[in-house]
Amino acid sequence: MPGVVVTPKAAVHAGHLWVRTNEVASTFDDPRAGDVIEVRDTRGRPLGRGFWNPTSRLAVRLLSRGPAEVEVDADFVARRLRAGLAWRQGLADVDPVLCRAAWSEADGLPGLVVDRYGDHLAVQILSLGFEQRRDAVLDALRDVFRPRTIVERSEASARRGEGLEPAKGLLWGREPVPFTVDAPAGPTVVDLMASQKTGLYLDQLANHAAVAALARGRRVLDCFCNQGGFALAAARGGAASVTGVDSSAAALELARVNAAASGAKAGAEATWVDANVFDHLRTLDRDRALGRYDLIVVDPPPFAPNKRALVGARRGYKELNLRALRLLEPGGLLSTYSCSHHVGPQVLADILAEAAADARRGLRIVAEHRQRADHPVLVAVPETRYLSGFTVEVIDRW
């Protein structure tokens, strides 16, 4: 079998599942892009088998460890999918029919992401290896989940890194019309063809519920609200009022639909503001009479897709949190998030401390947040953890 020899300092020796381009010492037997190849150390000992892509900075993405050969066919994919499904069925706070059913390396399926919405699946194929095995992936999905619909949403930037163009469309069944699922925010519309990501932000569902538990009687501002997940969950939790801000008119229209579907269950009347969040917070900050809040959620898109963007990302996160802190009453809560792996818990905590110092506010941690458990994190692959967050309370400085 063709393969590569990795350098002594390659992260794969410590349990990582990626071999980066600069960790490849040499190749042997002419490996071809997309093939399953063998990974060896400099003494010739096998370290595992994985997809080879010499055009990607992730030259090898491991499928298994050890010397055994791996045939990536429909049976292989189905076995990994069933193992992931069984694990999720054992999670207390995860509905296995409304969840991320496969999370790439974390489920032994590098570059394959599957989100399940009942009888509908939304799939991302983000590695060259699985791109070349589309038929096997499709057969396995039909076998394991028996779905009515499979939609592809392979639009993430990671696909370009593999030398692939974005892809979107119907893979199986009839093109689905928007449908409704029961989420912590209440009845929520899913549009697999038009929504951001794969339909919903499934990784935030547990955090919607956690914030809702703190919302009773509070005036809530949900920044980057998308379809209103945090705002409507807070309304169901007894918030006095909720306001959602987003720059996507289409997302706000879905938020209004979701609010109407919640009806009386929502508790508080919701207001939706079509605006750039940075501009809106600056306006509120300039004219304090326009609004003060008891709970502000800041859940922006990723500002740091790579390390090169980290400096600018820190500025953006700091400004958002600084403006939010200045708008909170004493005893108010800020629930703030980063969905950038490079802005992890410690970096986000440092940003919060800097923002609090500039705002002359004291902060006390109420809760720490992460992606929901159906997006599992591997200890040796820190990149599998990408969502970090804190809910903090504004306290009087002493």
Side-chain angles (χ1 to χ4, degrees):
M1 171 178 281
V4 300
V5 176
V6 298
T7 63
K9 293 185 177 180
V12 69
H13 293 295
H16 208 292
L17 297 176
W18 294 342
V19 177
R20 299 180 186 275
T21 303
N22 62 359
E23 296 174 330
V24 176
S26 62
T27 65
F28 56 88
D29 294 343
D30 191 25
R32 297 183 179 182
D35 281 354
V36 177
I37 66 165
E38 184 175 37
V39 177
R40 296 178 185 172
D41 67 13
T42 53
R43 295 183 181 181
R45 293 175 298 194
L47 299 176
R49 308 291 176 100
F51 289 138
W52 167 245
N53 187 351
T55 66
S56 170
R57 64 185 179 87
L58 306 180
V60 184
R61 302 176 73 157
L62 284 191
L63 293 151
S64 68
R65 295 194 173 276
E69 290 201 22
V70 177
E71 183 180 357
V72 184
D73 55 13
D75 288 341
F76 172 90
V77 177
R79 287 196 302 272
R80 295 278 168 102
L81 289 172
R82 287 194 179 96
L85 179 59
W87 184 75
R88 286 163 175 81
Q89 288 170 336
L91 297 174
D93 299 324
V94 172
D95 180 353
V97 299
L98 180 60
C99 73
R100 174 147 291 180
W103 173 218
S104 197
E105 271 80 1
D107 284 295
L109 294 164
L112 180 62
V113 179
V114 181
D115 285 345
R116 187 183 189 188
Y117 300 92
D119 294 332
H120 306 280
L121 300 179
V123 179
Q124 298 179 70
I125 300 174
L126 305 176
S127 64
L128 177 62
F130 276 125
E131 174 67 24
Q132 293 182 354
R133 295 162 177 82
R134 280 175 164 268
D135 290 345
V137 169
L138 191 58
D139 288 346
L141 291 172
R142 290 194 299 243
D143 179 33
V144 174
F145 297 106
R146 304 294 180 184
R148 291 169 51 197
T149 302
I150 304 176
V151 167
E152 181 173 13
R153 296 297 304 269
S154 301
E155 301 149 285
S157 59
R159 191 169 161 89
R160 291 192 181 277
E162 291 280 302
L164 303 170
E165 292 297 319
K168 175 182 175 181
L170 182 67
L171 297 180
W172 170 256
R174 293 184 178 180
E175 184 168 323
V177 298
F179 56 92
T180 301
V181 299
D182 189 20
T188 302
V189 173
V190 177
D191 187 340
L192 293 183
M193 301 301 295
S195 294
Q196 295 182 27
K197 291 188 75 173
T198 65
L200 294 181
Y201 287 84
L202 297 173
D203 50 5
Q204 283 283 29
L205 292 186
N207 297 328
H208 291 168
V211 170
L214 301 169
R216 183 165 295 280
R218 295 183 184 270
R219 294 164 293 172
V220 177
L221 176 66
D222 181 3
C223 300
F224 305 97
C225 68
N226 193 245
Q227 294 181 218
F230 278 108
L232 293 175
R236 293 189 76 174
S241 64
V242 296
T243 300
V245 184
D246 203 284
S247 60
S248 168
L252 290 176
E253 183 56 34
L254 284 176
R256 293 185 183 94
V257 171
N258 293 337
S262 295
K265 293 182 180 179
E269 183 175 349
T271 300
W272 308 105
V273 179
D274 187 346
N276 177 285
V277 170
F278 283 93
D279 294 341
H280 189 69
L281 290 178
R282 291 188 195 108
T283 299
L284 292 175
D285 195 17
R286 283 195 299 267
D287 188 351
R288 302 296 178 82
L290 287 179
R292 277 185 171 269
Y293 298 92
D294 309 298
L295 170 58
I296 297 179
V297 177
V298 176
D299 183 24
F303 290 165
N306 52 58
K307 284 187 177 180
R308 296 188 302 275
L310 186 55
V311 173
R314 288 190 67 129
R315 287 196 297 267
Y317 285 118
K318 181 181 176 181
E319 179 177 350
L320 289 171
N321 287 290
L322 172 60
R323 300 283 181 183
L325 288 173
R326 286 165 60 90
L327 293 170
L328 282 166
E329 298 283 3
L333 300 175
L334 170 63
S335 193
T336 185
Y337 300 86
S338 158
C339 58
S340 303
H341 161 70
H342 297 289
V343 182
Q346 189 55 59
V347 176
L348 184 58
D350 292 344
I351 292 169
L352 272 175
E354 294 170 9
D358 287 357
R360 300 184 180 277
R361 313 300 296 267
L363 297 181
R364 175 164 49 208
I365 293 177
V366 175
E368 184 172 353
H369 307 289
R370 51 160 287 178
Q371 63 221 51
R372 200 172 66 156
D374 54 331
H375 298 60
V377 175
L378 300 182
V379 173
V381 188
E383 294 84 355
T384 53
R385 176 170 183 171
Y386 65 93
L387 179 61
S388 303
F390 293 95
T391 295
V392 294
E393 180 186 8
V394 174
I395 59 175
D396 293 330
R397 303 184 72 181
W398 56 77

